[in-house]
Amino acid sequence: MENITQRQSGERAVLVSISVQMLDDLDAEEFQLLAQSAGAEILEHISVQRNKPDPKFFIGSGKVDEIAELVQELEAELVIFDHSLSPAQERNLERILKCRVIDRTGLILDIFALRARTHEGKLQVELAQLKHLSTRLIRGFTGNLEQQKGGIGLRGPGESQLETDRRLIRVRITQLKDKLVKVQQTRLQGRAARQKAAIPTISLVGYTNAGKSTLFNILAKSDVYAADQLFATLDPTLRRLEWDGIGTVVLADTVGFVRNLQHDLVESFKATLEETLEATLLLHVIDSNSPNMDEQIEAVESVLKEIGADAPILHVYNKIDLSGDAAKIIYKAPDVPDRVYVSAHSGQGLELLSQAVQQCLMGQLQHFDLVLKPAYGKLRTQLYTLNVIQSEHYDEQGNLQLTVCMAPNKLEQLIKQAHLPFDEILGKKATLFQRPLEEFELNDTTISH
């Protein structure tokens, strides 16, 4: 099968937002951003109110005639609906409007097709497109898919002229699923190696354009593409880094979510979301400056629930440089962070984010006074790598006295791995490590919040 011919975007489009009383209202501004991300030249944006969807057109026949006149007057090539349409509704609308019609799912798929860069991303886009288009093999306006040569809603990294024969479509879908299984197996091997080495994975999740990739670049000192647009990045990106107080971690940047993301789309992109499912900690990045922040949080939580993600979540309220919020940590229980307010753009609150992540992964942070003999230099090097040393000096015996701030279980892990005596290094505090970590008592050296 041949590749889809991708022509220049910039198609003249009319947008139709529909507010249905029995369905969730949609965000008109986000809809426009989606259309612009696909390269549409927006000629008109029409809002329609309905008590319930019409089975034939989704909207009323009078409104269809009105849009048809507008399409002819503006010479529009495309009408985009901000709702999912049935194949029959799409065909009926195309017959009356005499131009191509795509729904919200087709629009998002087209953006995915533009953004996919890796082999895995292209496989997932093609699979999602074929599943969506397999129900739309006969189209009233263009005849059949062999005549379609790309354009918004029709582009893709895989097929160029989607066959009208359902059997060939099913064969291709099976091939794509097999290839994605191999991708998942490769990921499982890498994940198993990290788990064997006890390397935690931290996954960034969130609504599209919440600033995940910008935050990822700051934390990982990376150069993942980030822009103020929807679905700026599609493919998952993993980086290994040294996190203060924790050590080696794997940071994963994932695809952004949107409201009303169809189940089939979530299913097709499960390979991308595997890192979310297996993460040790999820950083839910939230645009604190968005007027639709609550709805966006709900949309992300809905997708996480659908894919079965059950890792602990730390809510990262980003863009405080725009919202005016102060950098801070909010706790849901003592030493259990729930929210941290930061700005990936200005760097505000990033130290607090590091502290909150340490507490989520390692537990309560405490100050410890350590005594290291000259032979224990390797432990000192590890503590410096973790960036937990607050002060140090040599005593009269030539021993190095350190004050560190870190989680007790991380300190215990380092001392055990070095096969060093707790009593020599910790003195009286060595008794803390002779009982379960969860029984540690708070004292005056515990960090105050």
Side-chain angles (χ1 to χ4, degrees):
M1 304 177 89
E2 301 173 276
N3 292 332
I4 285 183
T5 303
Q6 295 195 11
R7 72 180 183 189
Q8 292 292 324
S9 54
E11 289 173 276
R12 298 164 59 80
V14 172
L15 308 186
V16 182
S17 290
I18 310 164
S19 176
V20 182
Q21 190 172 3
M22 60 186 294
L23 300 174
D24 292 333
D25 287 347
L26 298 175
D27 184 348
E29 182 180 355
E30 178 186 278
F31 182 33
Q32 288 185 8
L33 287 173
L34 284 170
Q36 289 168 354
S37 296
E41 178 189 344
I42 301 174
L43 304 177
E44 192 75 40
H45 190 166
I46 300 170
S47 296
V48 181
Q49 299 279 339
R50 284 196 65 81
N51 292 326
K52 62 180 182 179
D54 178 79
K56 186 174 182 181
F57 297 115
F58 200 99
I59 58 177
S61 56
K63 183 61 70 173
V64 174
D65 293 336
E66 179 184 324
I67 295 173
E69 292 179 7
L70 187 63
V71 166
Q72 186 175 6
E73 177 186 341
L74 299 176
E75 298 181 350
E77 304 168 86
L78 177 67
V79 176
I80 309 174
F81 282 74
D82 194 15
H83 255 295
S84 292
L85 301 174
S86 71
Q89 288 169 338
E90 223 174 84
R91 291 195 294 270
N92 292 337
L93 286 165
E94 286 186 338
R95 188 172 61 250
I96 302 298
L97 301 180
K98 293 183 172 55
C99 73
R100 287 192 304 108
V101 172
I102 65 170
D103 62 2
R104 181 181 178 86
T105 301
L107 178 61
I108 292 174
L109 278 172
D110 186 78
I111 299 169
F112 283 1
L114 290 171
R115 300 284 189 264
R117 294 293 180 266
T118 66
H119 175 64
E120 176 190 355
K122 292 176 181 180
L123 289 176
Q124 290 178 126
V125 170
E126 187 180 351
L127 176 60
Q129 284 186 318
L130 287 177
K131 284 184 174 180
H132 180 66
L133 293 174
S134 64
T135 60
R136 291 158 166 79
L137 290 175
I138 301 173
R139 302 177 70 106
F141 176 61
T142 54
N144 60 54
L145 290 177
E146 289 180 349
Q147 298 172 331
Q148 296 175 2
K149 300 286 187 177
I152 295 176
L154 303 171
R155 291 179 288 228
E159 303 296 296
S160 86
Q161 295 179 352
L162 290 174
E163 305 288 341
T164 57
D165 182 43
R166 291 181 182 273
R167 182 183 62 81
L168 293 179
I169 293 285
R170 287 196 296 268
V171 168
R172 182 59 180 162
I173 287 175
T174 301
Q175 291 172 345
L176 291 170
K177 286 182 176 179
D178 290 342
K179 290 180 180 179
L180 283 171
V181 167
K182 293 179 181 178
V183 170
Q184 289 174 309
Q185 289 173 344
T186 302
R187 285 189 181 279
L188 283 173
Q189 291 173 355
R191 193 176 300 122
R194 296 198 300 271
Q195 291 172 345
K196 186 176 181 180
I199 300 175
T201 298
I202 302 172
S203 285
L204 302 179
V205 299
Y207 208 79
T208 184
N209 206 31
K212 296 187 309 304
S213 295
T214 303
L215 182 61
F216 180 88
N217 287 337
I218 293 292
L219 297 175
K221 298 179 175 60
S222 185
D223 57 354
V224 171
Y225 179 68
D228 185 17
Q229 60 185 29
L230 303 185
F231 301 115
T233 53
L234 176 62
D235 302 300
T237 306
L238 281 72
R239 293 287 187 274
R240 183 177 293 214
L241 64 137
E242 297 297 321
W243 197 297
D244 290 353
I246 300 169
T248 302
V249 302
V250 171
L251 191 66
D253 186 20
T254 59
V255 63
F257 302 153
V258 293
R259 282 184 290 173
N260 297 82
L261 195 62
Q262 294 299 306
H263 177 75
D264 282 346
L265 286 181
V266 176
E267 281 294 313
S268 297
F269 284 83
K270 270 196 171 177
T272 297
L273 299 172
E274 282 292 322
E275 296 301 333
T276 301
L277 287 172
E278 301 296 333
T280 312
L281 175 68
L282 297 179
L283 299 186
H284 178 181
V285 183
I286 298 163
D287 182 355
S288 64
N289 192 50
S290 172
N292 303 305
M293 181 178 69
D294 292 337
E295 292 87 347
Q296 292 176 359
I297 293 173
E298 184 180 347
V300 173
E301 291 176 346
S302 174
V303 174
L304 291 176
K305 182 178 180 181
E306 183 173 352
I307 65 175
D310 58 359
I313 298 177
L314 175 63
H315 298 88
V316 182
Y317 284 73
N318 190 26
K319 303 186 183 181
I320 61 172
D321 55 315
L322 300 177
S323 66
D325 291 310
K328 59 188 174 183
I329 301 177
I330 295 179
Y331 292 82
K332 57 185 174 184
D335 302 301
V336 182
D338 177 57
R339 304 179 184 182
V340 57
Y341 288 76
V342 306
S343 168
H345 179 70
S346 69
Q348 295 171 260
L350 293 184
E351 290 185 2
L352 294 178
L353 173 61
S354 180
Q355 176 182 320
V357 170
Q358 286 183 63
Q359 290 176 300
C360 288
L361 290 179
M362 309 304 299
Q364 168 194 325
L365 302 182
Q366 288 186 254
H367 288 93
F368 293 96
D369 294 320
L370 311 182
V371 179
L372 301 185
K373 293 182 177 181
Y376 301 165
K378 184 176 179 180
L379 177 59
R380 175 181 178 272
T381 301
Q382 291 176 311
L383 293 171
Y384 259 107
T385 301
L386 292 175
N387 197 27
V388 295
I389 296 178
Q390 296 195 322
S391 67
E392 66 173 351
H393 67 273
Y394 286 94
D395 61 19
E396 295 178 355
Q397 287 74 39
N399 296 322
L400 185 62
Q401 298 202 5
L402 301 173
T403 298
V404 300
C405 177
M406 61 190 305
N409 52 353
K410 183 62 179 179
L411 179 59
E412 179 188 40
Q413 178 189 19
L414 293 178
I415 296 175
K416 282 184 175 179
Q417 287 176 346
H419 304 290
L420 299 178
F422 280 86
D423 54 347
E424 285 187 16
I425 295 174
L426 288 155
K428 292 181 180 179
K429 273 206 169 183
T431 57
L432 287 174
F433 297 89
Q434 297 175 1
R435 50 198 172 115
L437 292 176
E438 61 267 20
E439 296 180 13
F440 282 2
E441 296 177 356
L442 298 179
N443 52 54
D444 57 0
T445 62
T446 301
I447 291 180
S448 61
H449 306 299

